[in-house]
Amino acid sequence: MHQQESSITSLVAAFSRAYHSQFDSPKIFDDYVAKELISQEEYQTIQDNMIQGIAFFNKEIATKFKGNTKELIKWIIQVQLSPAPLARAAYCERVLQNEIQLGVEQYVILGAGLDTFPYRQQQVQAMLEIFEVDYPATQASKKKRLQEASLPLLNHLHFVPMDFTKQFQSQPLVEQGFQNKKTFFSLLGVSYYLTKEELASLLNHLFALVPSGSSIVLDYADQSLFKEKGLSNRVENMVKMAAVGGEPMKSCYAYADMERMLDQLGLLIYEHLSPTAIQELYFQNRTDYLCAFETIHYMHIVKK
């Protein structure tokens, strides 16, 4: 993804959240606002492209459900697209709500894309300043979508255009009102695309800006990322799609690697969710295709 391009990844992620809100039950994460940010034409185009590419995901399913558009779409979204975005968002916002109760005053969403938190949780307006950090083109597209959906720009929502994956800069945040206060960061769907050195540098820069007790939720891929095929080859497909899309996945971690890196940065692992734990928390007893992604872990990390 280039800086001048709006993010296709963020659009597809919003599409999967919108689908889940409308058609899946029970809900893992109900983003009922997401569909407002996607035009009917875009929604249909994404569906059409997925159906045309079904053989890439699974030739057996392509044959089994040939002509059954509804079931093909459900299979692709629930197996390949939705599990990681849904569960990580549910976990992140659960942690955030707890952190608000513990005095967090600022929320920084790194790689915000088409995140809709401020529009679903308007009760936080009086207690939380929200900063969305993303590519300038992605943010311009989002502002346009908000306007088209008749969703107002909120006073406590601040847009910070930046390619933070290349070079994090604190000044744009400060110019939008960011202060040295207890802060919660989210970094979801990003760590895989950074080298280990880049992730360590980003975390170091972020936590230099905030006091002890500030924290971050991030997801990361474990050391089996480039070997695991996963259910219906979905892990292998994810890695291939990233490479074809021009954003190759660069890193994966053993738990001990993460622990060592974070300790060197003065950070503490407060909570770690393995794929098994994620399955138990968010996907237990479902009768559809949704289940936890095999290689993805979540961490809540706190500054000592």
Side-chain angles (χ1 to χ4, degrees):
M1 223 277 287
H2 301 293
Q3 192 164 348
Q4 68 269 23
E5 299 173 351
S6 181
S7 175
I8 297 299
T9 304
S10 66
L11 183 60
V12 173
F15 167 85
S16 68
R17 298 196 307 270
Y19 178 95
H20 181 69
S21 178
Q22 294 174 87
F23 301 114
D24 294 343
S25 182
K27 303 279 187 290
I28 295 168
F29 178 75
D30 190 7
D31 189 349
Y32 55 88
V33 179
K35 66 180 184 296
E36 304 298 326
L37 302 183
I38 307 171
S39 70
Q40 280 299 113
E41 182 181 359
E42 287 173 325
Y43 198 95
Q44 189 60 50
T45 298
I46 293 171
Q47 286 199 144
D48 292 344
N49 287 340
M50 287 193 300
I51 291 169
Q52 290 168 15
I54 182 62
F56 168 82
F57 295 108
N58 190 296
K59 292 180 180 178
E60 183 180 332
I61 292 296
T63 301
K64 181 178 179 181
F65 296 128
K66 186 176 182 180
N68 188 342
T69 299
K70 185 176 179 181
E71 198 64 26
L72 285 172
I73 290 294
K74 178 181 178 181
W75 188 93
I76 297 172
I77 294 174
Q78 292 188 345
V79 172
Q80 190 77 48
L81 299 182
S82 286
L86 292 175
R88 73 192 181 202
Y91 175 65
C92 181
E93 292 195 12
R94 187 195 83 187
V95 174
L96 173 57
Q97 293 295 345
N98 290 337
E99 288 298 305
I100 291 171
Q101 299 303 312
L102 295 172
V104 156
E105 298 181 66
Q106 299 176 139
Y107 176 28
V108 179
I109 311 172
L110 296 149
L114 297 179
D115 186 277
T116 64
F117 174 79
Y119 295 91
R120 289 179 287 100
Q121 305 289 345
Q122 296 197 32
Q123 73 274 15
V124 305
Q125 290 189 44
M127 60 186 79
L128 198 64
E129 295 294 321
I130 302 170
F131 302 84
E132 293 195 2
V133 183
D134 215 329
Y135 293 95
T138 298
Q139 291 196 333
S141 173
K142 182 173 184 178
K143 288 179 181 179
K144 182 181 178 183
R145 292 171 187 276
L146 290 170
Q147 184 179 27
E148 290 171 348
S150 298
L151 293 169
L153 294 180
L154 305 172
N155 290 333
H156 67 299
L157 174 59
H158 312 278
F159 291 96
V160 185
M162 186 195 312
D163 183 357
F164 65 89
T165 64
K166 300 302 180 188
Q167 183 179 14
F168 179 81
Q169 298 173 311
S170 60
Q171 192 57 33
L173 266 172
V174 173
E175 289 173 356
Q176 288 295 325
F178 184 87
Q179 299 180 46
N180 183 17
K181 295 179 176 180
K182 189 175 182 182
T183 301
F184 179 75
F185 300 96
S186 67
L187 184 72
L188 303 178
V190 175
S191 70
Y192 336 113
Y193 302 102
L194 305 178
T195 65
K196 294 180 179 182
E197 293 73 22
E198 287 169 343
L199 179 59
S201 176
L202 175 60
L203 292 174
N204 189 44
H205 280 97
L206 290 175
F207 282 98
L209 303 174
V210 294
S212 297
S214 297
S215 66
I216 188 169
V217 161
L218 59 78
D219 57 337
Y220 73 93
D222 65 30
Q223 66 270 36
S224 66
L225 175 65
F226 298 110
K227 298 176 290 185
E228 173 74 43
K229 289 189 178 296
L231 174 67
S232 296
N233 293 331
R234 63 179 178 175
V235 176
E236 186 178 40
N237 289 341
M238 176 180 71
V239 173
K240 285 181 179 178
M241 285 190 295
V244 170
E247 290 184 281
M249 293 187 168
K250 298 177 181 177
S251 60
C252 54
Y253 302 82
Y255 179 87
D257 293 338
M258 289 292 291
E259 192 174 40
R260 191 179 307 110
M261 177 185 71
L262 296 169
D263 183 61
Q264 290 172 352
L265 295 172
L267 304 174
L268 177 72
I269 299 171
Y270 182 80
E271 185 175 34
H272 165 247
L273 294 187
S274 67
T276 300
I278 294 165
Q279 176 69 26
E280 291 174 358
L281 268 175
Y282 296 110
F283 298 96
Q284 199 78 309
N285 300 320
R286 296 195 70 91
T287 57
D288 53 19
Y289 303 116
L290 284 163
C291 60
F293 232 79
E294 292 82 355
T295 57
I296 306 301
H297 299 238
Y298 307 156
M299 275 188 176
H300 180 204
I301 299 159
V302 182
K303 183 175 181 179
K304 297 176 185 178

